[in-house]
Amino acid sequence: MSKKFVVAVCGATGAVGQEMLKVLEQRDFPCSKIIPLASSRSAGKKVECQGHELVVQELTKDSFNGVDIALFSAGGAISKEYAPIAAQAGCVVVDNSAAWRMDPECPLVVPEVNPQDLDWHKGIIANPNCSTIQMMVALKPIHDEAKIKRVVVSTYQAVSGTGQKAIEELENQVRRLMSGQPVVADVYPHQIAFNCLPHIDVFMDNGYTKEEMKMVNETVKIMGDPNIKVTATCVRVPVFYGHSESVNIETELKLTADDVRALLAKAPGVTVEDYPEKLIYPMAINASGEDDTFVGRIREDETIDNGINMWIVSDNIRKGAALNTVQIAETLIERDLVRVP
Ligand code: A2P
């Protein structure tokens, strides 16, 4: 019988944590036990996974004794504090926050793109930013074929990326506006309903937001190529689930739109949806709940020699977070890496 693992889900009551439990169940992840962890506010609450009703436990320093794999999605501060404690206890951490992504000791992994980076893990593996993951899945096969020199990306990001409270804020604002009541903005600095906010995460000294700089820096680390130049504009839009991206790339070698379609048609984790004459192209409402990253509107950029435009859409909570995290854990098992060296 193949080995089963004790798995802790840290942040099990949150938007991503709930999806992690769902993905563990859907993929029949080999768990001998699942331990849902959250704050003291949620201790005693019940969650379900793999046919069992599980009682949420308060996260403490002792939570990881006897745990093989911990999936973290409880925010950066919790990851910063508890991931090293978990690794110290011999538990391999796959962390969905930004806390460890740029740490040179921590691999930053999209399993379809750079699974080999798991081989040098030291106990903590970082799950990339949601917008970066879907872009990597689509760009890796193109980079391998024609070497991408520059990426210009604009994102249209769903509120679920901010967490459960932001989902509720959009719902409440829509309801209030439709019944003529004034809106309350709490999670976001401005009304998000029927609006677009060119502001995700905090502003940095260079005028970009932290989210935009994540896309720049994480792309270089995941692709393992310091020469790829990325510039990003990240926008929060009133969509519940599914991030969309307009991506323009410049490659060293010439690729036609048909070449790109052919490359992506055989790429793992990608579905090409590109029949504009039939009004078929990727949309957030269709990508929601799906595992694949959808690519369409593939066309040559007529303003430069080797340029391609495309539209990339994926479920930010699944491939952008919970699914990618579980796929990392599955790849660790496949490569016999569920141990802290
Ligand atoms: P809780 O529900 O008990 O607050 P989201 O990203 O959807 O906002 O979810 C955040 C997740 O992180 C939730 O499961 C939340 O648990 C958890 N969390 C927040 N603060 C803590 C904390 N101090 N200790 C453990 N878990 C926490």
Side-chain angles (χ1 to χ4, degrees):
M1 205 178 80
S2 57
K3 189 172 167 13
K4 295 198 168 192
F5 300 87
V6 178
V7 177
V9 175
C10 182
T13 52
V16 173
Q18 288 284 302
E19 196 69 24
M20 283 173 172
L21 294 171
K22 213 195 275 181
V23 174
L24 288 171
E25 174 163 326
Q26 287 167 344
R27 297 173 75 87
D28 202 15
F29 192 90
C31 303
S32 55
K33 188 178 178 191
I34 300 171
I35 304 171
L37 302 169
S39 77
S40 56
R41 297 178 292 275
S42 302
K45 274 191 189 162
K46 306 256 172 40
V47 293
E48 280 189 25
C49 191
Q50 296 189 339
H52 299 283
E53 195 175 67
L54 309 168
V55 180
V56 176
Q57 298 177 21
E58 179 182 356
L59 169 67
T60 70
K61 290 186 164 51
D62 298 325
S63 297
F64 303 98
N65 296 333
V67 175
D68 299 306
I69 302 170
L71 310 179
F72 270 64
S73 192
I78 296 288
S79 296
K80 201 88 206 160
E81 183 177 353
Y82 286 91
I85 294 171
Q88 190 67 39
C91 164
V92 180
V93 173
V94 188
D95 179 40
N96 186 48
S97 81
W100 301 97
R101 288 183 190 146
M102 296 314 295
D103 189 312
E105 301 282 289
C106 300
L108 180 67
V109 174
V110 181
E112 294 89 339
V113 176
N114 60 334
Q116 72 286 353
D117 282 338
L118 290 173
D119 296 346
W120 51 267
H121 88 78
K122 298 185 171 61
I124 303 174
I125 296 127
N127 194 58
N129 171 260
C130 43
S131 306
T132 312
I133 292 177
Q134 67 186 66
M135 191 167 83
M136 293 302 91
V137 173
L139 295 193
K140 178 65 161 66
I142 300 170
H143 188 54
D144 287 347
E145 186 74 16
K147 208 160 176 38
I148 297 173
K149 293 199 294 191
R150 180 166 184 256
V151 181
V152 182
V153 52
S154 297
T155 69
Y156 305 67
Q157 297 183 221
V159 295
S160 51
T162 316
Q164 194 56 43
K165 287 202 175 74
I167 297 172
E168 288 158 20
E169 180 151 305
L170 174 58
E171 268 170 10
N172 288 336
Q173 288 185 356
V174 169
R175 224 175 264 124
R176 290 178 73 89
L177 284 165
M178 298 311 279
S179 58
Q181 293 175 283
V183 298
V184 181
D186 183 25
V187 175
Y188 296 115
H190 305 281
Q191 175 186 319
I192 181 66
F194 310 111
N195 199 10
C196 297
L197 307 179
H199 172 190
I200 300 184
D201 210 327
V202 294
F203 284 99
M204 321 262 303
D205 289 344
N206 64 358
Y208 286 80
T209 60
K210 209 166 174 184
E211 183 82 354
E212 289 159 352
M213 294 314 295
K214 284 175 197 167
M215 293 194 79
V216 173
N217 297 324
E218 291 180 21
T219 296
V220 168
K221 183 166 176 179
I222 295 164
M223 293 290 207
D225 184 345
N227 297 319
I228 298 187
K229 292 187 169 60
V230 181
T231 187
T233 302
C234 292
V235 181
R236 187 73 68 191
V237 296
V239 165
F240 286 106
Y241 295 98
H243 288 356
S244 306
E245 298 175 343
S246 163
V247 178
N248 172 270
I249 56 169
E250 186 176 358
T251 52
E252 239 169 64
L253 304 177
K254 171 78 187 165
L255 289 177
T256 64
D258 278 341
D259 292 337
V260 172
R261 274 184 216 103
L263 279 174
L264 293 181
K266 54 181 189 242
V270 174
T271 297
V272 176
E273 251 187 353
D274 199 16
Y275 306 97
E277 66 287 358
K278 294 184 189 154
L279 312 187
I280 293 173
Y281 31 74
M283 290 190 289
I285 53 169
N286 295 338
S288 174
E290 299 291 329
D291 287 351
D292 267 8
T293 293
F294 297 86
V295 187
R297 300 294 326 281
I298 298 165
R299 61 215 189 273
E300 282 156 51
D301 175 350
E302 295 174 343
T303 66
I304 51 174
D305 285 340
N306 299 338
I308 292 284
N309 282 304
M310 67 188 97
W311 180 245
I312 303 173
V313 182
S314 194
D315 184 325
N316 54 301
I317 296 293
R318 285 186 78 85
K319 185 57 187 168
L323 173 66
N324 199 70
T325 306
V326 173
Q327 285 174 319
I328 289 174
E330 289 172 347
T331 313
L332 285 167
I333 296 172
E334 275 163 33
R335 296 171 92 96
D336 194 20
L337 292 165
V338 185
R339 60 195 140 68
V340 180

